[in-house]
């Protein structure tokens, strides 16, 4: 039976360290890899080992208690959020790792919301219980308050900080003592007398909370019956799968404490594919929704969730099999693109190591070789009817830099290399600016682009010069308008004629683009409508204020005219483009800038200086929390003011403060600054 889950957490919470211990205890590896030594199996990329952080989600498979477990270790840095997004889309359960000292940090909230969107059942592991300042109860409260969830401790720590030595199992009502030797088994001990009152209190809370969400436990509780550990486990599993509770465990991965109970909890509480409801899909022929069961004897369907340019194997496409069985060498349909593809070989991945297999069954996560036209988010299937699975959505990049080759040889290779990187990472965009002749690459942050440029130099051996990063601004409108777009050319013989009337309306931030065809009476033939929409979208790509993309608008096509002879797709595409630009100019257009959610953890003595610095960056303080002499500052700050902030904060606080930052939303840029940007673009 499969259990599939991934590790998610804020950077430095210990996800990869936990994974390395899991691989050791399940017999997948014979030596524990360490992140700080650059020997972690899951951090196999050169840049990951050099920086000591996870950059790309690494997949592996192991076995525990006769269960096959697929694991994906995801990055914790906000710049690599796409890796978390696609992992959550294809996995059935998640282990969220928290630092017992820092508690719930900014990126943890982002990951939690992503998991909510995909309805992923979770368990939490409070890590680093042996560190100075570790606080299990405080982290528990933060999980409940900041993540708006229902945490349910199934373990309590035995001791904390330097005295942390084991855990109390509230379900089994017993305690485990961990030795320093990673090869030694946890020792079953009696619950110390000093802990019995606390244990009784928390076990009572566990049963009461379960009774609130589970009818079987409620009945036994009301009848005053003794509830066995087996009954508690079944109830916990039901409540976890229904996303009604989140079991909480604890330990110290670096000291090999708490990993075996965590593995037991993964098997006990997280779902296998058989626990999941039938996958919902769309019949590509009729558009109707259909359900497909997670069984080997149903037609094959899978979602491509990752593309990797492997230097030895070529193009690898990672697949999650949702139904049926697929064999190496067979032909499948890419239902997203309407093309047939042949799966050459199937590989079971263990980070960057590969094991060739003949077939993959329901629930498997494998890599396929030979899929030339399959990309992230595409559906592969066999049988009738062809189906489309829900695709994966990714955030838009917010930072851009110009890049150019160093030599003529590099010039020939840079385009292909950037294309491969863009295939791998949906949040990495490559554009060629015709006006300046520059190639512009865009990503989720400075570190994101720095890593990708580093990969360009080291993996693809392409020499490149890069400019300074700049902000990816957007444009939008503030008032509704109606406008005409007319394209008429006559040059002897057939001419070109297209005439459209559209209404532009502003939409809420983040809504993107909506096109509505409100034509009546056949004033424009139906075959020209797609061309009009294409022309509008093309014009939105360059904007009118300062050349940035137009977003968050609704376009309603309500009138127009055509010519029996001279009208064409090209004419109506041009008419749509003209109408969009004319309308945006009339609709009081404004520039939008990306605003980041900034969280700073600092000693109290630097609080005033940091607040003053945030205010000077046009920032807005949302909240300040104090805990044991440490302050947590939460604020919103424009991205344009945050370049190089790591160095500035280090100087301001003698290197004693840390920060994390994630994209929040787009907001209107102040007029004075907008005028400066317009002037720069005109130059």
């Amino acid at each position: 039976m499969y259990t599939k889950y991934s590790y998610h957490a804020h950077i430095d919470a210990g996800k990869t360290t936990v994974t390395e211990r899991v691989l050791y205890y399940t017999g997948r590896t014979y030596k524990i890899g360490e992140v700080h030594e650059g020997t972690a199996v899951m951090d196999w990329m050169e840049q990951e080992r050099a920086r000591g952080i996870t950059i790309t989600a690494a997949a592996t498979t192991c076995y525990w208690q006769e269960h096959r477990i697929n694991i994906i270790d995801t990055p914790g840095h906000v710049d690599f959020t796409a890796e978390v997004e696609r992992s959550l889309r294809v996995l059935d359960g998640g282990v969220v790792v928290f630092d017992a000292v820092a508690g719930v940090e900014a990126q943890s909230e982002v990951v939690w919301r992503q998991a909510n969107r995909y309805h992923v059942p979770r368990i939490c592991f409070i890590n680093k219980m042996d560190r100075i300042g570790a606080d299990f109860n405080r982290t528990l409260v933060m999980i409940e308050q900041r993540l708006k969830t229902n945490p349910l401790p199934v373990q309590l720590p035995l001791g904390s900080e330097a005295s942390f030595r084991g855990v109390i199992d509230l379900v089994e009502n017993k305690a485990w003592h961990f030795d320093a030797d990673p090869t030694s088994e946890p020792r079953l001990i009696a619950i110390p007398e000093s802990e019995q009152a606390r244990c009784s209190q928390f076990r009572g809370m566990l049963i009461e909370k379960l009774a609130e969400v589970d009818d079987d436990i409620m009945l036994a509780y009301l009848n005053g019956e003794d509830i066995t550990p087996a009954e508690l486990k079944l109830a916990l599993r039901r409540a976890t799968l229904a996303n009604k509770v989140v079991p909480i465990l604890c330990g110290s991965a670096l000291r090999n404490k708490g990993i075996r109970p965590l593995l037991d909890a993964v098997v006990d509480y997280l779902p296998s594919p058989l626990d999941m409801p039938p996958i919902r899909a769309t019949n590509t022929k009729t558009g109707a929704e259909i359900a497909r069961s997670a069984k080997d004897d149903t037609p094959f369907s899978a979602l491509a969730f990752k593309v990797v340019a492997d230097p030895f194997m070529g193009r690898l496409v990672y697949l999650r099999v949702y139904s049926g069985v697929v064999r190496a060498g067979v032909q499948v349909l890419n239902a997203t693109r309407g093309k047939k593809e042949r799966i050459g070989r199937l590989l079971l991945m263990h980070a960057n190591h590969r094991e060739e297999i003949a077939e993959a069954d329901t629930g498997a996560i494998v890599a396929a070789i030979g899929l030339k036209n399959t990309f992230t988010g595409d559906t592969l299937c066999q049988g009738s009817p062809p189906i489309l699975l829900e695709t994966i959505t990714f955030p838009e990049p917010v930072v851009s830099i110009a890049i150019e080759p160093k030599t003529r040889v590099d010039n020939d290779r840079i385009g292909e290399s950037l294309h491969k990187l863009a295939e791998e990472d949906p949040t990495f965009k490559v554009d060629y600016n015709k006006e300046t002749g520059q190639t512009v690459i865009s990503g989720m942050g400075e570190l994101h682009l720095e890593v990708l440029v580093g990969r360009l130099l080291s993996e693809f051996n392409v020499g490149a010069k890069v400019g300074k990063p700049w902000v990816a601004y957007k444009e939008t409108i503030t008032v509704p308008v109606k406008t005409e777009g007319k394209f008429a050319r006559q040059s002897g013989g057939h001419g070109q004629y297209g005439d459209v009337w559209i209404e532009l309306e502003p939409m809420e931030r983040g809504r993107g683009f909506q096109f509505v065809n409100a034509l009546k009476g056949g004033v424009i033939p139906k075959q020209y409508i797609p061309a009009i929409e294409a022309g509008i979208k093309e014009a939105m790509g360059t904007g009118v204020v300062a050349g940035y993309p137009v977003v968050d608008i609704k376009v309603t096509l309500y009138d127009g005219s055509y010519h029996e002879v001279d009208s064409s797709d090209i004419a109506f595409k041009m008419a749509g483009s003209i109408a969009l630009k004319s309308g945006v100019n009339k609709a009081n257009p404004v520039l939008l800038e990306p605003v980041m959610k900034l969280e700073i953890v600092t000693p109290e003595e630097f609080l005033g200086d940091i607040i003053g610095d945030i205010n000077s960056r046009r920032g807005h303080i949302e909240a300040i929390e104090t805990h044991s002499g440490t302050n947590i500052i939460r604020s919103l700050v424009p991205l344009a003011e945050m370049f190089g902030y790591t160095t500035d904060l280090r100087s301001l606080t003698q290197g004693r403060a840390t920060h994390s930052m994630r994209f929040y939303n787009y907001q209107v840029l102040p007029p004075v600054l907008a005028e400066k940007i317009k002037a720069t673009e005109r130059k």
Side-chain angles (χ1 to χ4, degrees), residues 100-102 133-135 138 142 602 604 625-632:
V101 180
D135 192 328
R138 171 178 169 267
M142 291 180 76
T602 177
E604 193 167 355
E625 293 179 14
T626 302
H627 172 68
S628 303
T630 300
N631 287 274
I632 302 171

Side-chain angles (χ1 to χ4, degrees), residues 38 45 117 124 160 167 172 254 285 351 423 479 530 534 540 559 563 591 636 667 674 680:
M45 287 176 61
R117 191 162 61 248
C124 296
S160 65
V167 297
E172 298 281 355
L254 189 63
K285 292 182 178 179
E423 273 194 1
V479 296
M540 287 174 62
D559 202 359
H563 190 278
L591 277 177
L636 299 176
Q667 295 181 7
T680 302

